[in-house]
Amino acid sequence: NPFPMTNLLLEHFEWNRNEAQQITSFLTPMLAFDRKERATAAQCLQHDWLQPAPAAAAEGEETGRNGQHLKAGEGRRGGSEDLEDYDPQPGPS
């Protein structure tokens, strides 16, 4: 049986309602079965969920998805790892 994504996030992952609705509105258009109806990458990049909070944008700061201000270098991943040096291919050390 289909289970709405928002309900999944609320009940099983204990997200707050606002966050669950925001991420659902971001992901759902990407999952459209008909590719003519599916969101493009450019459309996804314009979604409100990816935009910085207005107060942070005015201050030149970035916020996480929960609205908390992030420290320099943390990015949306919430960690301080340097992704420029990330190599997805495991190789000999």
Side-chain angles (χ1 to χ4, degrees):
N1 293 334
F3 194 75
M5 187 182 316
T6 302
N7 292 356
L8 177 75
L9 295 171
L10 292 171
E11 296 173 20
H12 295 284
F13 295 99
E14 300 178 3
W15 284 39
N16 71 52
R17 180 163 299 282
N18 183 44
E19 285 294 318
Q21 290 172 334
Q22 286 180 351
I23 190 69
T24 299
S25 74
F26 174 68
L27 292 174
T28 301
M30 288 187 273
L31 301 173
F33 184 75
D34 185 348
R35 67 180 177 158
K36 294 177 213 156
E37 295 176 12
R38 198 173 306 141
T40 66
Q43 290 168 327
C44 294
L45 288 172
Q46 299 305 312
H47 193 278
D48 288 343
W49 189 71
L50 293 178
Q51 306 310 311
E59 298 170 12
E61 298 178 7
E62 185 177 3
T63 59
R65 65 178 177 81
N66 62 2
Q68 292 179 336
H69 290 284
L70 301 175
K71 296 175 187 171
E74 283 186 333
R76 291 207 177 272
R77 297 178 64 108
S80 59
E81 62 271 14
D82 185 0
L83 295 178
E84 290 179 11
D85 295 330
Y86 174 72
D87 182 8
Q89 301 295 323
S93 299

